Each structure stands twice: as structure tokens, then as C-alpha cells.
Amino acid sequence: VQAFPKAAAVLCAAALSCAVLVTSGCGGGDGTPARTSADGVAVYTPETSVIRLAPGPQFIIEMPPPEEGTQWRLGSLPADMGGVSLKGVASADGAGAWTFETIGPGYGTLEFQQVPIGEQKPTDTTIFEVTIS
């Protein structure tokens, strides 16, 4: 007889935990990075695609391995990005860390395109919303 109230309490607690995870920035909608590197640099992933920083620090966008026969490439940096510049890429196929530096305020999007090698048309696109203020 008391098993049902306990099970209901456990289910309610689980539901609340999931709700907290969804709203706590785990999805990156609030600008929270996926993690911080050993040297203190904010690391973002496609799951944490909203980036909000003050001018000055570097940040990393970590891309997953591309599908076989494709590579990740970055679309052009918008003019109004306010001094976001690419400092380096971890691998030739675009997997892993893309390191950026922020110099001044601005807003824009960074578009990563997964493109078959030797072609121009992307098969997948991942967009990061960047605000430097």
C-alpha cells in the first residue's frame, strides 16, 4: 500500500531533476560552456552553442569527428563579430578544438559546415550564437 506513494515520490523527484538539468544551462542556451579546459579556457560544443563572454578571453569550440569522407569548415566571420578571430584548429578535418580569441564587443554567428572532401555543398551545418559584451 505504501509502495505507490514512494514510487510516486521517486518519479516526481526524477522529473524535477530532469527539469533542473534542462533549465540549468546543460544545453548551453544560457551561454554556459560544456566544460573548462585545464588552462581555464571555456569549451563549447554543438550542444552548448550559445557563447556569451566579455572581451579578452579565448574560447574553444570543440567539434565532433566529421562523417567519413567529409571535413568541418568554418564559414566566413561576420564583420560585426567585434574582434573574434580564429587562432587555431586541432586537426585538418576540423574535428576537435577550434580556438578563438575575443578582442572587442560584438554579436554574430559562427557557422560550421560539414562538407564532403572536394565539394562545396555542406551536408550538415552547426551554428554557434556568439555575444561578446
Side-chain angles (χ1 to χ4, degrees):
V1 177
Q2 291 190 11
F4 180 72
K6 284 184 180 179
V10 169
L11 288 174
C12 286
L16 286 173
S17 295
C18 289
V20 168
L21 284 175
V22 168
T23 61
S24 69
C26 293
D30 66 352
T32 303
R35 62 184 171 79
T36 303
S37 70
D39 55 351
V41 176
V43 179
Y44 297 87
T45 65
E47 292 78 28
T48 57
S49 61
V50 175
I51 300 168
R52 292 191 175 115
L53 295 169
Q58 289 188 341
F59 66 93
I60 294 171
I61 292 179
E62 194 168 80
M63 295 302 292
E67 293 178 14
E68 177 120 8
T70 67
Q71 61 188 355
W72 287 108
R73 72 175 180 203
L74 178 63
S76 63
L77 289 172
D80 61 351
M81 285 294 289
V84 172
S85 63
L86 178 63
K87 290 301 189 187
V89 181
S91 66
D93 67 0
W98 292 67
T99 303
F100 293 86
E101 186 171 55
T102 62
I103 303 167
Y107 171 84
T109 58
L110 296 175
E111 181 179 85
F112 287 81
Q113 300 172 338
Q114 191 171 169
V115 180
I117 295 171
E119 296 186 27
Q120 296 298 314
K121 186 176 179 184
T123 58
D124 189 16
T125 300
T126 301
I127 295 176
F128 291 81
E129 178 186 313
V130 182
T131 302
I132 309 300
S133 58

